[in-house]
Amino acid sequence: MSRRATVAAGAALGVGLGLAGTRTAHAEPVRRDPFLLGVASGDPLPDAVVLWTRLVADPFDAAAMGRRTVPVEWEVSADERFSAVVRRGTAAARPELAHSVHVDVRGLRPGRVYWYRFRAGGHVSPTGRTRTAPEAYSRPNRFRVGVVNCQDWQNGYWPAYLGLAAEDLDVVVHLGDYIYEYDPSSAYPDRLHTAPQTVGLDQLVTLGDYRARHAQYKTDPALQRAHAAFPWIVTWDDHETENNYAGLVDEIDDTGDRFQDPARFARQQAAAYQAYYEHMPLRRAVVPGSTDYRLYRRFEFGDLVRLNVLDTRQYRTDQPGGHSGDFGPVADGLDNGSGTLVGAAQERWLADGLRSSRARWNVLAQQVMVSQIRFPNFLDPANPFPPIANLDQWDGYDPARVRLLRLLRDTRAANPVVLAGDIHSTWCSDLRVDRDDLASAPVAVEFTATSVSSDFPAAFDGPLKAANPTLNPHVRYFDGSRRGYLRVTVDRERWLTDVRTVDGITARESPVRTTASWAAIAGVPGLTPA
C-alpha cells in the first residue's frame, strides 16, 4: 500500500469512528510527555484490533490536560522499526473521556503480529506489540493465552506481570478486579492508594476518584510491559466499582444495611463504568453517565477456540441471605431459585453461542468460580462443620448454576472449559451437574487463576488442602499460597494449563516458575495431570 493510500485509509477509518477532523489549532499544547500510562491493545478480530492510550499531564488529575481536544496520531506497522507502516491516522483525545484514545484499526491481516505507537505534541509513545485473531473458518493448530485477575495495588508488587510479558502468547484474558476501591492503607509506602475526593468516605465515589485510581494502577511498569506485549480481552468483577455489589444494588455493611441510597450508588456505578472504559482497550463506546455498558461478547480463534466473555456482576441479583461478607450457609445458595448472575438476556446469548458453535474448544471466561465448593466454617474455627459456601460465587446461585451446567451438557458444545478468578487462589476442578455424583461424567472442566497480588488468607490454605479430598472431591488441585497467572496452550487434541507463580510479591522482581500443570483431552470428560 502506498503512503498516500495508507493515509487515506487511516483518515477514512478515523471519520468512521468520529475520530478524525480534529483541528490542531484548537488543541491544548502538549508540553510534556503525555504517555505516562503506556499503551495497550485489545479485542482482536481477524482483521482488526483496538489500540488504546490516554494522555495525561498529571495522572491523578484528568483536568490537568486541559479542556480542549488533542489530536493523536497513530500508526501500525508490520515490523518493529516502523519501516512497513500498514495503517495510520489521527484520533481525537477528548476531555469528556479523560483524553483517552480508542482506535479500532481495520483492514489488518489475520493471525499477524503488528507493532503500534502514538504521537501527540511532538511526543512519541512507547511501542506496543499486538496480534490479530486467525482467519475465520481457518484451522489453527495452536492457541496460547495468559489468564490474570485481582491485582490489589496496596497488597504488594506485580512481578507476575513481568513473567507474563516474557511469555509467548496470542492474547491475555483479564477476569476482573483490575483496580480496588479500598481506602489508602498499605505496608508499602510507595503503594498507597489515591484518596477519594469526598470527605468522610473511605471509598471511591466520583468519576475523578475512579480515574485517579485507574491511572495509578496504569503507572506500574510491570503492568505497562504486559499490556504492550499482547492484546488483552478484559471483563470486570466487583472491585472496579465496589466490593460485592450486584447490579444496581450496593454492598451491605456489617449491620446488614446498605452503604448508600440507590440513586447515589447509580451515579457511582456510572462513574466507575466510564472510568473503566477510559482505561481499557475496548471496542464498544461508553455512554457517559449510564449504568448500562454491555461487556459480554464473543471471540473466535479460527475453528479452534470460541471464547465467550461473560459479565457476572452487572446483571446479577443480590447475594442471598443478607450477609455482609462472602460466606454463609450452603442452603442460602441452594434455595436461591430466583437468583441469577448473568441475567436472562445474557443467558440466552450464551445458549445461542454454545448451540451454534463449531469450535473444537468452547470457553467461558467469567469472574467467579462455577465449581461447587464447600468450605470449612472459617466463621467459627472452633466448630468448622457444617461447611459453608461463598455466596458471592455461583454457590450463592445454585439453581442458575444447574441451568448453566445442563446447558453445557445438553448443547453438546465440544470440550467446554470454564475460566474463573476472584478468589485469589488456584483451583482445577471437574464440573458435574450433581457435584456429589462422582460416578457421572464431568460436563466441563474449570481452571481458576490465582491473583496477581491480592491476598488469600494464609490461615485458609492448610485447612482447605486438608478438607478438599472429603468436602470437594471434584477439586483436582488447589493452592492458596502463591500469586501468579495461568498459561494456557491449546491444540486440537489437548488443553494444557500451566500454573505460573512467583516466589513473592514483596519486591518488584521475582522468579516465575510452573508449580502445577493440568490438561483436558479433547473428547475425554474431566481433567488429567499433565
Side-chain angles (χ1 to χ4, degrees):
M1 181 179 288
S2 69
R3 182 182 185 280
R4 179 176 296 178
T6 301
V7 173
L13 173 66
V15 170
L17 294 172
L19 298 174
T22 304
R23 297 183 184 178
T24 305
H26 291 288
E28 201 81 19
V30 180
R31 305 188 187 280
R32 294 177 293 178
D33 179 10
F35 297 109
L36 303 181
L37 306 186
V39 299
S41 68
D43 282 10
L45 303 176
D47 67 339
V49 70
V50 176
L51 307 182
W52 172 92
T53 193
R54 181 189 156 204
L55 309 185
V56 294
D58 176 352
F60 308 114
D61 180 9
M65 269 303 297
R67 293 183 292 178
R68 294 186 178 180
T69 296
V70 178
V72 180
E73 299 173 0
W74 56 268
E75 54 186 353
V76 177
S77 175
D79 75 320
E80 194 171 5
R81 299 184 303 276
F82 288 86
S83 62
V85 173
V86 298
R87 289 289 185 273
R88 58 162 50 99
T90 301
R94 303 184 185 281
E96 57 267 29
L97 292 176
H99 291 95
S100 62
V101 175
H102 299 75
V103 183
D104 189 0
V105 182
R106 299 279 173 164
L108 302 176
R109 301 184 68 180
R112 298 298 179 95
V113 172
Y114 292 97
W115 286 262
Y116 63 95
R117 64 188 178 188
F118 300 89
R119 286 190 181 90
H123 303 277
V124 181
S125 75
T127 295
R129 178 182 179 273
T130 191
R131 181 190 291 268
T132 52
E135 187 174 6
Y137 310 113
S138 63
R139 292 178 57 83
N141 291 321
R142 189 174 68 163
F143 174 65
R144 300 153 301 183
V145 58
V147 183
V148 291
N149 71 108
C150 297
Q151 54 204 49
D152 187 345
W153 173 275
Q154 297 192 136
N155 204 55
Y157 299 100
W158 298 342
Y161 275 132
L162 297 179
L164 186 76
E167 302 281 6
D168 182 14
L169 304 174
D170 296 299
V171 71
V172 170
V173 175
H174 196 291
L175 297 176
D177 292 344
Y178 191 96
I179 65 165
Y180 279 72
E181 83 286 14
Y182 297 150
D183 57 306
S185 178
S186 178
Y188 304 92
D190 60 340
R191 303 294 279 188
L192 278 173
H193 270 158
T194 55
Q197 296 175 342
T198 305
V199 176
L201 282 181
D202 292 331
Q203 62 182 31
L204 307 183
V205 175
T206 69
L207 180 57
D209 288 342
Y210 285 102
R211 283 172 169 170
R213 187 65 55 83
H214 271 283
Q216 181 179 42
Y217 277 52
K218 277 289 201 294
T219 61
D220 188 272
L223 178 60
Q224 288 192 15
R225 190 180 300 183
H227 268 300
F230 317 106
W232 284 39
I233 295 172
V234 302
T235 187
W236 54 38
D237 195 20
D238 52 346
H239 289 289
E240 289 88 352
T241 301
E242 184 168 293
N243 181 51
N244 283 0
Y245 87 95
L248 288 170
V249 180
D250 192 15
E251 184 182 5
I252 303 173
D253 66 19
D254 291 335
T255 69
D257 295 328
R258 299 293 167 187
F259 274 112
Q260 53 187 308
D261 66 81
R264 193 174 80 175
F265 182 63
R267 293 192 296 271
Q268 176 184 336
Q269 188 180 98
Y273 286 8
Q274 179 174 334
Y276 184 83
Y277 167 79
E278 290 172 349
H279 293 84
M280 298 294 161
L282 289 163
R283 180 169 281 110
R284 184 185 297 272
V286 74
V287 176
S290 173
T291 57
D292 180 15
Y293 182 74
R294 176 172 164 173
L295 200 55
Y296 65 88
R297 58 211 191 280
R298 186 175 292 123
F299 297 91
E300 312 281 354
F301 297 90
D303 74 342
L304 186 60
V305 173
R306 170 170 279 192
L307 180 66
N308 302 280
V309 181
L310 306 188
D311 176 355
T312 64
R313 189 57 60 176
Q314 183 178 179
Y315 310 105
R316 71 160 63 190
T317 53
D318 197 12
Q319 292 87 347
H323 304 284
S324 61
D326 293 336
F327 292 98
V330 171
D332 285 356
L334 296 176
D335 297 338
N336 189 12
S338 61
T340 177
L341 278 98
V342 299
Q346 187 177 185
E347 192 169 323
R348 290 192 298 269
W349 169 86
L350 177 60
D352 291 343
L354 292 171
R355 292 190 186 101
S356 64
S357 177
R358 293 182 174 85
R360 184 71 165 167
W361 300 89
N362 288 275
V363 184
L364 277 61
Q366 49 89 64
Q367 294 74 23
V368 291
M369 287 176 61
V370 173
S371 184
Q372 308 99 317
I373 302 299
R374 301 294 179 257
F375 293 86
N377 192 351
F378 302 123
L379 305 178
D380 184 8
N383 181 30
F385 294 95
I388 57 176
N390 184 340
L391 301 176
D392 193 56
Q393 299 177 170
W394 284 85
D395 274 321
Y397 303 77
D398 188 71
R401 174 176 51 206
V402 170
R403 288 199 307 273
L404 173 66
L405 295 176
R406 287 174 175 167
L407 185 68
L408 294 174
R409 179 193 66 191
D410 297 344
T411 58
R412 298 187 178 181
N415 304 308
V417 175
V418 177
L419 300 176
D422 174 69
I423 197 169
H424 311 167
S425 46
T426 304
W427 304 68
C428 303
S429 307
D430 293 326
L431 296 179
R432 295 178 173 87
V433 176
D434 181 353
R435 71 184 294 276
D436 298 317
D437 183 8
L438 298 180
S440 64
V443 300
V445 298
E446 181 174 50
F447 298 98
T448 301
T450 189
S451 63
V452 170
S453 65
S454 303
D455 186 45
F456 185 83
F460 291 6
D461 182 62
L464 271 172
K465 286 174 178 172
N468 274 339
T470 301
L471 287 182
N472 305 300
H474 56 290
V475 174
R476 308 296 301 279
Y477 177 81
F478 162 76
D479 179 43
S481 65
R482 297 178 176 92
R483 314 277 70 79
Y485 57 93
L486 300 181
R487 180 182 65 192
V488 174
T489 304
V490 188
D491 61 31
R492 306 199 72 82
E493 301 305 322
R494 185 176 75 157
W495 174 294
L496 174 64
T497 295
D498 294 319
V499 180
R500 302 280 284 166
T501 58
V502 297
D503 288 348
I505 57 172
T506 59
R508 291 189 178 273
E509 297 187 14
S510 174
V512 62
R513 64 191 81 246
T514 299
T515 48
S517 296
W518 286 83
I521 308 302
V524 179
L527 290 170
T528 183

